[in-house]
Each structure stands twice: as C-alpha cells, then as structure tokens.
Amino acid sequence: MTRLTGRALRVTVLIGENDTWHHRPLYSEIVHRAHAAGLAGASVFRGIEGFGASSLIHTSRLLSLSEDLPVAVVIVDAEERVRAFLPQLDELVTEGLVILDDCEVIRYVGRGDNQGESDAKGKKSS
C-alpha cells in the first residue's frame, strides 16, 4: 500500500455516469487502471446535478434527465505517479474534463495498518 503525507497531485475526472469503455462503466475502468498502476487511491462520486459542454442540465430531480448524472473520479498520489498515469486518461476520456490540482495530504492511520494493535472497536492497545 502506498502511504502519503505532504505534497501530492489530485486529478479529478469529470464524466457522465453512462460513459462506457468496452461495455464497462468508464468510471470503473479508470479506478481499476489506477489500482493496477499502483496509485495511492481513487474514489468515484456521483453528482446530483450538473452540465458540461452540451449545456444540457442533468439532474436527479427530473426523471427524464436522471439517466446520465455527472460523475467525478478523484485520484491522489505523488505528482510524478499521477502524471505517468495521464496517458491512460488520454486513451479513456473522449468527452469530459480532467483537472489537476496541487494538494497537501494528511493521512490518518486506519485499522488495517500494522502501526499498533487495535481492538474490535478500532481503539489502539498499548
């Protein structure tokens, strides 16, 4: 597992929920490729409303337009690792927006770490 603290690069890929890559959801393909590339983490967030280049507003409030809601895939890792992954996004994203942001990461240690034993409720033992 990659561990991060300090400076990092965040890439946010804004696409449509119905976008696909070889009959698979595009957001899923991006996450699986990021995982295969060994990037530190990726998450997918489904929007409730938005519009893009088409200027058509997609919203979860109207049944007729709720079929293609906006999706954001967020990936964070060291800058050189994210930039090495960008050619894969060039291949996958035909419509959408890719945003790169410098960021600072503060990683909180969870239960899965070997930095001290935890009991069943996640509390550290001495």
Side-chain angles (χ1 to χ4, degrees):
M1 174 169 52
T2 304
R3 295 188 178 148
L4 286 175
T5 55
R7 309 262 324 137
L9 190 64
R10 174 179 53 204
V11 59
T12 304
V13 183
L14 301 171
I15 54 176
E17 182 178 34
N18 289 341
D19 292 346
T20 60
W21 176 261
H22 296 272
H23 308 290
R24 180 179 190 177
L26 179 57
Y27 58 84
S28 181
E29 182 68 19
I30 293 169
V31 168
H32 283 85
R33 285 195 187 196
H35 184 261
L39 295 177
S43 297
V44 178
F45 301 94
R46 184 178 190 219
I48 58 172
E49 189 166 56
F51 71 93
S54 70
S55 294
L56 179 64
I57 294 180
H58 299 273
T59 178
S60 61
R61 293 182 291 144
L62 301 173
L63 290 176
S64 63
L65 297 177
S66 64
E67 298 167 354
D68 192 22
L69 292 172
V71 171
V73 182
V74 179
I75 301 168
V76 178
D77 205 325
E79 180 175 0
E80 60 275 2
R81 295 174 61 82
V82 169
R83 291 199 182 277
F85 185 70
L86 291 179
Q88 291 200 55
L89 293 179
D90 288 341
E91 176 188 354
L92 295 171
V93 180
T94 57
E95 283 186 29
L97 186 64
V98 175
I99 302 167
L100 298 173
D101 297 301
D102 289 321
C103 62
E104 185 173 349
V105 172
I106 301 171
R107 182 180 180 273
Y108 292 92
V109 177
R111 292 183 200 179
D113 261 332
N114 295 332
Q115 296 181 1
E117 296 296 319
S118 298
D119 66 13
K121 294 181 181 177
K123 295 180 182 174
K124 298 259 184 197
S125 59
S126 301

